[in-house]
Amino acid sequence: MSNSRNLSKLTKADKPLFVSLMSRAFAQDPLFLHLFGDSKLDRKAKHRVKAFVSFMFDKSFLLHEEVWGYFENESLIGTYIVEKPHASMLQNLKGILLIARLIPLLFQLSGKTLSLLNSYLRVTRSSAPSFTHHYLIMIGVSQEEQGKGIGKSLLQHLINTVKADKKSQGIALDTENKENVDLYRRFGFTLSQEAQMDNMPVYCMFYPKEG
């Protein structure tokens, strides 16, 4: 029996699949380790990671973001969240609803973690281009499917989306994993800035759309 694979936009019903995949995919990510601790060794850290990933998924449906996923049969094996560039008044109004989603998260994260998150946002947002662009918030692939071209397919899908968007001038992203820098460079991203957050390097990259 052949496997059926497809790339499609996620719905709210896909939240459990997203949270499960991204919680495992980011378990050893430098930023997540710094913010939440080792979720493979610490049960509380595992709970914090899931709470944060869950919040990120909910946020995408309230703000100007999209979640796309790569499915094999009915299993989610890769996914990404991207912030689109076309802000609107509706986005600002939805920010009020976001507060309701944020409150439960505040009770699950420590004050130190919240402070670090705020510092991270300041660093990354200050490094973002001033012109109109997409922002790749998160991208992850199931550990069992890594090295099979899933991440490449997801990233190429995003690049094609941006190329078709007449208003967007490219894609910004941030990574704390130095090994990812060369990977993104192979797709046409350039390192625009190397910043520091609490002695942790943050590599800010940008894909400039040609034409």
Side-chain angles (χ1 to χ4, degrees), residues 91-129:
Q91 179 182 355
N92 294 330
L93 292 174
K94 286 182 176 180
I96 298 174
L97 297 176
L98 180 62
I99 296 175
R101 298 281 187 176
L102 180 60
I103 291 174
L105 181 66
L106 298 179
F107 288 99
Q108 299 179 68
L109 303 181
S110 67
K112 180 181 178 181
T113 298
L114 293 172
S115 177
L116 288 173
L117 276 170
N118 189 48
S119 297
Y120 180 76
L121 287 174
R122 285 201 306 269
V123 168
T124 56
R125 290 307 184 183
S126 65
S127 302

Side-chain angles (χ1 to χ4, degrees), residues 1 5 27 38-39 48 62 96 130 150 160 163 181 186:
M1 181 181 297
R5 289 188 170 185
D38 194 334
S39 59
R48 290 192 290 265
L62 290 172
I96 298 174
S130 58
I150 305 302
N160 292 341
K163 286 182 176 179
V181 174
R186 290 198 290 271

Side-chain angles (χ1 to χ4, degrees), residues 22-41:
M22 292 301 245
S23 296
R24 289 181 287 113
F26 278 81
Q28 298 301 301
D29 178 81
L31 177 62
F32 273 54
L33 288 171
H34 192 66
L35 292 174
F36 310 116
D38 194 334
S39 59
K40 288 188 174 182
L41 302 176

Side-chain angles (χ1 to χ4, degrees), residues 1 4 11 24 68 71 78 80 131 134 138 184 200 209:
M1 181 181 297
S4 174
T11 68
R24 289 181 287 113
W68 284 82
F71 288 85
Y80 72 78
F131 45 79
H134 283 68
M138 299 178 77
Y184 288 121
M200 180 183 68
K209 188 174 71 173

